[in-house]
Amino acid sequence: MAAAAAGSLRRAGWRLWRGRAGLRCQLYAPQQGFRASAALRRASEEQRKEPPSPSSQQQFDPQQADPRPEQEAWSPGPSYTGQDGQESQDYESEEQLQHRILTAALEFVPEHGWTAEAIAEGAKTLGLSAAAAGMFHSDGSELILHFVSQCNSKLSDLLEEEQKLVQLGEAEKKPTNQFLRDAVEARLRMVIPYIEKWPQAVSILLLPHNIPSSLNLLTSMIDDIWHYAGDQSTDFNWYTRRAVLTGIYNTTELVMMQDTSPDFEDTWRFLENRVADAMNMSSAAQQITNLTGLNQRR
Amino acid sequence: MAAAGALAPALRCSLGRHRALSRAAGRRGRWPFLAEGASLRPCSTRAALDGINKAVVDRIIRVDHAGEYGANRIYAGQMAVLGRSAAGPLIQQMWNQEKDHLRKFNELMIAYRVRPTVLLPFWNVAGFILGAGSSLLGKKGAMACTVAVEESISDHYNNQIRTLMEEDPEKYKELMQIIKQCRDDELEHHDIGLEHDAERFVFSCFCSLCAQK
C-alpha cells in the first residue's frame, strides 16, 4: 500500500518539475496531481506516530479527500471543496506542501548533500513520513531548483528595496559597475552556507533534463539585475549586456567554489576585476564603432 | 515589384507593422493617453505588470517593435536612393512618422520589460536593402514597396487588436489605443503609396511579365 502510494508519488514527482516558470522571479511551478497529495497524506497518516504538525494547514479529513481526486482541476493554491461544497481553507495545495518540504530540507543539505535523504529529513521535521521524498526526483534536482529560485526571489526583493531607498532619496544611486558587483556578490553570498556541496548542485543543474529550468532561472536572475541596474536598452545591447553579465556570474561562481581565502576575498576581487574588464570592453567597443562609422547614432 | 511582393508575407509575419502617421502635432500630442513620462520610470513596473497576460503582450510588443525598426530601415534605404529626388520630402515625412512610432514602442518595451527580438541586426540590413532595392526601380517602385508592406501590416495590427479584445478590452485599453493609432497611420501610408501611382507600377510590371511569357 505504501509502495503503491510511493510509486504514484514518484510519477507525479517526475511530472512536476517539468513545469516551467512562466513569469520572471516566479518560483518554478511543478505540475500537480491532487491524487499524489492525498496519497501522501494517507501514507503519512499510517506511519506517523507523533501528533500532526502544529501548522493548521495540515488538518485533513481522509473521507473527503479520497472520492475527489479526479474531479479536481489543477489550479495554483486551491482550497479544496469538501463533499458539501463548502470551501475548506485547511488544505494547502500540493505546490505549497512541496515548497515547505524543500525549504525544511535545506538545513540538512550540508550534511546529506542535495539528495533524497536531505528531502526525507526535511519531511520528517515537518511531521511527514520519509516517503514524502518519493514525491520528488531522486537526484535532488527539485531541491536545488527550489533553492536557486528562492535565492533569486530574495535577490529580487533586495534589489527592489534598494531601489525604493534610492527613489525616496535616502540612498545614493550607485554607478553601474558598483551596482553589478554588489548584486552578484549578494547573490553569491546566499550560496556560502552550502558551498561544500555546491559543486554537486552545479553539476546536477547541468544535467540535460535540468538545463531548461536552470537556464530559465539563470536568465531571469540576470535580467532582474540588469533591470534594477537601470538598463533600458531596446536594441542588440540587451543581449550583449546579459551575455556578459552571465559570463561574469558563472566564472565568479566557479572561482568561489575553489576559493579558500577568508570571507572569499579573492572571489570578490576577481568579480571586481571582471566587471571592470566588461566596462572597459564596452567603452572600447563604442569607440571603435564611432571611429569606423558603424555607430548609427551620429 | 515581384520581389517586394514576395518579401511582404515574410515581413508581415515578422516585421509587424509599418505605419503611416498623419502629421504629428508634437511628440506627446499624438499620444495624449500616455501620461508624461509615466512609462519611463525604471524598475517600478512590478505592480503595473501584475494581472496582464505577459506572454501575449510580450509577443505583441516585440513584433511591433521589430516591425517599426524594420520600417525605419526601409525608409532609410528609400531615402538613401531617392532622397534627392522629387519624392524625397514625401518619403522623409513618412520616415519621421515611423521614427515616432519606433520611439513609442521603445517606451512600451521598457515599461513592460519586454526583450527585443534577437533578429534586430538582420532586420537592420534586410530593411535597408529592401528600401534601397525597391527605390532603385524608381519612385513608383518605392511606393509599391510601401503599399505592399503597409497592406500586410494593417492586417497584422488588426489581428493584434482582435487578440487583445478577446483577452480583456479594459485591461489593455492603453496598449490597444496605441496599436489602433499605429494601424490608422499605416493605412494612411498605404493610401499615400497608392496615390503616388504604385498601383499603376504594379500593373505595368505584371503586364510586362505576362508579355514576356
Side-chain angles (χ1 to χ4, degrees):
Chain A
M1 168 59 192
S8 73
L9 291 176
R10 190 182 217 55
R11 278 190 294 281
W14 175 254
R15 281 193 296 276
L16 64 85
W17 65 264
R18 284 166 63 191
R20 303 267 184 274
L23 297 176
R24 299 182 209 282
C25 309
Q26 195 188 49
L27 296 180
Y28 74 103
Q31 292 178 9
Q32 301 177 11
F34 177 36
R35 161 183 301 191
S37 170
L40 164 67
R41 294 206 178 97
R42 260 182 267 130
S44 64
E45 278 279 296
E46 287 170 20
Q47 293 167 23
R48 230 185 312 171
K49 301 281 190 301
E50 53 270 4
S53 153
S55 157
S56 62
Q57 290 178 333
Q58 277 288 334
Q59 286 165 34
F60 157 74
D61 182 347
Q63 276 94 25
Q64 284 186 346
D66 285 338
R68 305 190 67 89
E70 278 85 356
Q71 287 101 33
E72 286 291 343
W74 176 82
S75 55
S79 323
Y80 302 122
T81 54
Q83 296 252 345
D84 55 354
Q86 294 291 345
E87 289 214 335
S88 162
Q89 297 297 336
D90 299 336
Y91 289 106
E92 64 178 340
S93 72
E94 176 163 332
E95 186 184 341
Q96 288 169 345
L97 175 67
Q98 286 171 348
H99 284 159
R100 282 203 309 131
I101 296 179
L102 291 177
T103 309
L106 284 178
E107 71 176 276
F108 297 98
V109 164
E111 189 189 329
H112 295 280
W114 304 91
T115 57
E117 281 93 36
I119 302 179
E121 295 293 323
K124 278 200 252 176
T125 58
L126 292 181
L128 302 167
S129 95
M135 229 189 337
F136 305 100
H137 200 229
S138 64
D139 63 4
S141 308
E142 286 98 342
L143 184 55
I144 305 173
L145 289 170
H146 171 84
F147 172 66
V148 169
S149 164
Q150 242 186 8
C151 288
N152 290 352
S153 304
K154 271 196 272 184
L155 178 68
S156 182
D157 292 338
L158 190 72
L159 294 176
E160 180 80 25
E161 283 302 317
E162 266 183 32
Q163 196 213 352
K164 281 209 186 86
L165 289 179
V166 169
Q167 278 180 345
L168 292 174
E170 290 172 22
E172 285 281 314
K173 184 165 163 46
K174 292 189 223 175
T176 310
N177 59 342
Q178 178 74 43
F179 185 94
L180 295 178
R181 264 165 48 200
D182 290 346
V184 172
E185 183 180 331
R187 176 61 181 80
L188 285 174
R189 276 191 186 276
M190 297 182 199
V191 165
I192 289 180
Y194 309 94
I195 193 75
E196 297 288 314
K197 308 284 181 184
W198 194 242
Q200 177 196 13
V202 170
S203 62
I204 290 178
L205 284 181
L206 287 174
L207 291 175
H209 61 83
N210 283 331
I211 287 200
S213 313
S214 67
L215 216 48
N216 201 348
L217 287 169
L218 177 66
T219 52
S220 58
M221 186 243 314
I222 297 288
D223 181 52
D224 253 359
I225 296 182
W226 266 119
H227 177 245
Y228 286 107
D231 174 45
Q232 295 192 334
S233 46
T234 52
D235 52 8
F236 204 75
N237 275 331
W238 192 96
Y239 291 91
T240 323
R241 287 183 185 166
R242 278 148 184 80
V244 166
L245 187 58
T246 309
I248 294 177
Y249 178 84
N250 284 336
T251 48
T252 312
E253 194 182 18
L254 285 175
V255 165
M256 191 166 96
M257 290 196 279
Q258 295 161 350
D259 192 3
T260 49
S261 61
D263 194 36
F264 299 93
E265 286 163 359
D266 287 347
T267 306
W268 312 135
R269 204 168 327 122
F270 176 86
L271 173 62
E272 185 177 339
N273 290 336
R274 295 293 76 71
V275 170
D277 282 349
M279 297 287 135
N280 286 342
M281 256 194 318
S282 86
S283 65
Q286 262 192 355
Q287 279 182 354
I288 291 176
T289 56
N290 280 337
L291 285 175
T292 59
L294 288 171
N295 189 347
Q296 286 172 10
R297 274 174 287 280
R298 274 170 246 264
Chain B
M1 256 354 273
L7 276 168
L11 285 174
R12 173 199 343 218
C13 297
S14 27
L15 275 193
R17 297 199 179 284
H18 256 289
R19 261 174 296 190
L21 284 180
S22 40
R23 218 170 241 297
R27 198 174 130 218
R28 285 296 176 190
R30 297 205 65 243
W31 315 101
F33 32 80
L34 250 206
E36 185 72 40
S39 55
L40 286 180
R41 249 177 327 158
C43 322
S44 55
T45 50
R46 242 190 194 181
L49 296 184
D50 287 340
I52 62 166
N53 187 339
K54 195 106 198 338
V56 165
V57 169
D58 259 20
R59 198 128 143 276
I60 286 178
I61 293 181
R62 183 161 41 247
V63 168
D64 289 348
H65 175 262
E68 288 311 319
Y69 184 79
N72 250 279
R73 298 305 294 151
I74 290 181
Y75 282 114
Q78 290 186 344
M79 277 304 285
V81 175
L82 292 176
R84 272 177 284 268
S85 76
L90 176 65
I91 298 178
Q92 180 68 50
Q93 179 203 339
M94 293 201 285
W95 190 12
N96 290 342
Q97 295 170 338
E98 294 299 343
K99 286 184 193 166
D100 191 36
H101 278 193
L102 182 62
R103 245 193 311 260
K104 183 81 228 89
F105 274 107
N106 279 341
E107 286 171 18
L108 277 181
M109 188 165 256
I110 294 169
Y112 283 92
R113 280 184 70 175
V114 175
R115 99 185 137 80
T117 172
V118 70
L119 295 173
L120 276 179
F122 175 69
W123 296 134
N124 189 353
V125 171
F128 192 88
I129 290 179
L130 175 64
S134 62
S135 306
L136 285 173
L137 298 167
K139 174 187 165 198
K140 290 192 179 139
M143 291 298 149
C145 167
T146 302
V147 164
V149 172
E150 301 299 355
E151 213 171 301
S152 47
I153 278 172
S154 311
D155 279 343
H156 193 92
Y157 273 139
N158 280 331
N159 287 340
Q160 288 186 346
I161 292 172
R162 249 192 296 275
T163 308
L164 289 177
M165 289 281 262
E166 281 167 5
E167 289 272 331
D168 186 345
E170 279 313 305
K171 234 194 296 181
Y172 301 114
K173 196 152 76 147
E174 189 182 303
L175 183 58
M176 275 205 304
Q177 263 182 308
I178 294 174
I179 296 181
K180 276 183 195 160
Q181 175 81 63
C182 291
R183 178 210 47 200
D184 295 339
D185 294 333
E186 294 298 347
L187 287 174
E188 200 184 309
H189 269 178
H190 177 263
D191 295 339
I192 291 177
L194 285 181
E195 236 178 277
H196 287 85
D197 305 330
E199 218 158 30
R200 264 204 273 151
F201 180 83
V202 173
F203 182 63
S204 65
C205 249
F206 177 67
C207 283
S208 58
L209 273 175
C210 290
Q212 281 161 27
K213 298 237 166 69

